[in-house]
């Protein structure tokens, strides 16, 4: 049916297999469809009625045909093959994979029972794959993991002209990232609620292509039954959208603060990790900002305790504040800056974590991570 380089095939199979369901509602959905078209292109695809993925390759040789085999098994096999050309042949109800001296025989599945891949929505614009991947990773960290609250498990994408705003929240923190893109129409406007895990996986996988990512969606997209598509370097994927309902998050972002602290991100992360060793799962890391230092503490007099002092560039009123250490660490890991800036109002109001900037820079950071403090017992 076809011959193709092992590395090319393994990478394509791995990309397609990532969207296959672990526990399919019907067995055929665990399959991966391999087709050699009349023009000689090799297409690998998977679809579970929610997410589709397709890769187009140019095989060394190819004979038109189509077959359906277990996607996960094919991924494991291609990953383990030696670095030699791979021959894939269909004989009756079996597919034979040969590479060097290794030979595998797979059972095929009925192709006619496999659902057709959805068409891509109209192309809306393009963005650099590396910027797209890093921006999505920054925001997806705050998306909820509780499937009983589906509106909080997604990433909201708002597009107005050449500006894309990504936002996600799980009620305890909120991440917002603004970035520029190249829309097909200068007045393009749309809102989409994309499943967070799917978007994060897609952006990470497309980020390695080094090419631009084309985003495909309808400007009227806003219904729960809508769809969004992403494509880059011969790979394309679509996913169904969630209901667009989302908290009015812009009003949650404070614009005035009574205190600002700039710290070395790496030192802050290491100190929080050390102090948190004695923090029980739901107990916070406490911080006291005074002058040129911050005192980090965890634990109480009845249990193990930890204290560490860090130098800080601090401006404003002295403040005591406490955070869930895991949420704080995830925010620090997302800001992508050597200096972390923490802006606070009071010990009970949301704080904003961003990349540190010179004090006289009035421009808002492209990335903001809002984190709710934990109320300190008096």
């Amino acid at each position: 049916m076809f011959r193709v380089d092992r590395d090319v095939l393994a990478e394509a199979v791995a990309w397609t297999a990532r969207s296959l369901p672990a526990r399919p509602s019907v067995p055929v959905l665990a399959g991966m469809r391999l087709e050699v078209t009349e023009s000689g292109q090799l297409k690998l695809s998977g679809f579970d009625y929610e997410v589709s993925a397709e890769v187009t390759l140019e095989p060394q040789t190819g004979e038109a045909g189509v077959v359906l085999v277990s996607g996960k098994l094919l991924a494991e096999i291609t990953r383990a093959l030696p670095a030699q050309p791979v021959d894939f042949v269909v004989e009756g109800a079996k597919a034979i994979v040969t590479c060097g001296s290794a030979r595998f025989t797979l059972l095929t599945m009925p192709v006619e029972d496999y659902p057709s891949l959805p068409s891509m929505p109209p192309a809306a614009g393009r963005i650099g794959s590396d910027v797209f991947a890093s921006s999505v990773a920054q925001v997806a960290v705050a998306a909820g993991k509780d499937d009983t609250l589906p509106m909080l498990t997604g990433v909201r994408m708002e597009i107005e002209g050449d500006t894309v705003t990504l936002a996600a929240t799980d009620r305890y923190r909120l991440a917002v990232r603004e970035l520029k893109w190249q829309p097909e129409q200068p007045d393009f406007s749309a809102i989409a609620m994309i499943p967070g895990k799917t978007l994060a996986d897609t952006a990470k996988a497309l980020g390695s292509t080094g090419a631009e990512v084309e985003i495909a969606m309808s400007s009227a997209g806003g219904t729960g039954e809508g769809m969004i598509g992403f494509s880059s370097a011969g790979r394309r994927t679509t996913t169904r959208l969630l209901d667009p309902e989302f908290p009015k998050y812009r009003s949650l972002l404070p614009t005035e603060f009574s205190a600002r602290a700039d710290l070395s991100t790496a030192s802050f992360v290491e100190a929080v990790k050390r102090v948190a060793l004695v923090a029980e799962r739901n107990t916070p890391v406490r911080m006291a900002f005074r002058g040129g230092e911050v005192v980090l503490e965890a634990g109480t007099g009845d249990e193990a305790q930890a204290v560490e002092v860090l130098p800080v560039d601090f401006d404003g009123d002295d403040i005591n504040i406490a955070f869930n250490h895991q949420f704080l660490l995830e925010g620090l890991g997302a800001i992508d800056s050597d200096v972390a800036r923490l802006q606070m109002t009071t010990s009970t109001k949301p704080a904003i974590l961003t990349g540190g900037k010179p004090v006289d820079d009035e421009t808002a950071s492209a990335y903001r991570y809002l984190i709710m403090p934990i109320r300190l017992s008096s």
Side-chain angles (χ1 to χ4, degrees):
M1 186 169 160
F2 65 82
R3 167 177 277 201
V4 70
D5 181 76
R6 177 261 176 195
D7 288 348
V8 172
L9 180 64
E11 192 176 323
V13 170
W15 154 263
T16 310
R18 27 152 241 101
S19 64
L20 296 177
R23 292 181 292 278
S25 52
V26 288
V28 76
L29 294 182
M32 185 180 297
R33 189 177 187 272
L34 294 88
E35 178 185 10
V36 177
T37 64
E38 294 295 339
S39 61
Q41 288 185 316
L42 171 59
K43 293 184 178 238
L44 295 80
S45 56
F47 182 43
D48 66 352
Y49 293 108
E50 296 287 333
V51 179
S52 77
E54 183 180 74
V55 184
T56 303
L57 303 175
E58 299 291 342
Q60 295 170 11
T61 62
E63 182 182 322
V66 60
V67 67
L68 189 70
V69 297
S70 166
K72 299 291 187 191
L73 182 57
L74 184 61
E76 290 174 0
I77 289 172
T78 54
R79 190 167 59 240
L81 290 174
Q84 295 185 41
V86 180
D87 287 302
F88 193 103
V89 180
V90 178
E91 292 182 1
K94 295 180 179 179
I96 298 167
V97 180
T98 309
C99 181
S101 59
R103 175 186 164 104
F104 293 85
T105 303
L106 307 178
L107 295 177
T108 62
M109 303 160 117
V111 177
E112 61 274 12
D113 293 348
Y114 201 71
S116 300
L117 257 65
S119 303
M120 284 286 272
R126 300 180 309 283
I127 190 169
S129 61
D130 50 348
V131 175
F132 181 60
S134 62
S135 299
V136 168
Q138 285 182 309
V139 171
V141 70
K145 310 292 189 291
D146 185 354
D147 290 330
T148 62
L149 295 168
M151 68 183 256
L152 297 180
T153 63
V155 172
R156 181 179 174 90
M157 178 184 284
E158 300 174 2
I159 301 175
E160 281 297 336
D162 67 350
T163 302
V164 178
T165 304
L166 301 172
T169 182
D170 61 2
R171 294 182 298 176
Y172 305 105
R173 62 254 175 91
L174 162 71
V176 181
R177 174 74 155 89
E178 289 185 0
L179 59 155
K180 297 294 182 182
W181 79 322
Q182 299 166 280
E184 293 288 333
Q185 304 293 331
D187 59 347
F188 185 83
S189 175
I191 294 175
M193 195 69 187
I194 310 164
K197 186 176 185 308
T198 301
L199 180 62
D201 289 348
T202 298
K204 184 178 179 182
L206 291 179
S208 62
T209 65
E212 285 191 319
V213 174
E214 184 174 88
I215 300 177
M217 62 191 297
S218 167
S219 58
T223 62
E225 295 301 311
M227 185 176 291
I228 190 167
F230 304 94
S231 60
S232 179
R235 303 174 177 188
R236 52 153 275 190
T237 185
T238 65
T239 181
R240 280 178 54 178
L241 299 175
L242 300 169
D243 190 294
E245 185 182 350
F246 195 71
K248 291 182 170 54
Y249 68 90
R250 291 183 196 276
S251 61
L252 301 175
L253 294 165
T255 55
E256 295 182 352
F257 305 93
S258 62
R260 171 200 55 78
D262 284 4
L263 303 89
S264 159
T265 304
S267 299
F268 198 12
V269 167
E270 292 304 316
V272 171
K273 284 181 177 178
R274 281 191 290 268
V275 171
L277 291 173
V278 301
E280 294 294 327
R281 180 166 181 169
N282 294 317
T283 57
V285 167
R286 306 183 298 278
M287 290 177 236
F289 290 90
R290 302 277 184 280
E293 66 179 30
V294 56
V295 180
L296 291 84
E297 293 184 81
T300 64
D302 299 334
E303 329 168 322
Q305 292 175 271
V307 180
E308 185 157 347
V309 181
L310 287 180
V312 60
D313 177 358
F314 184 74
D315 181 48
D317 303 333
D318 291 354
I319 188 170
N320 292 339
I321 197 164
F323 298 110
N324 174 300
H325 65 271
Q326 195 58 48
F327 292 166
L328 180 60
L329 287 171
E330 287 176 351
L332 289 168
I335 58 174
D336 190 25
S337 171
D338 292 339
V339 178
R341 169 167 291 183
L342 192 60
Q343 294 169 292
M344 300 157 283
T345 309
T346 72
S347 62
T348 57
K349 289 187 176 176
I352 295 283
L353 185 62
T354 62
K357 292 191 170 194
V359 178
D360 59 358
D361 190 339
E362 296 293 326
T363 57
S365 170
Y367 179 69
R368 286 165 292 173
Y369 183 89
L370 177 149
I371 179 169
M372 292 296 297
I374 295 175
R375 191 179 294 272
L376 290 162
S377 54
S378 51

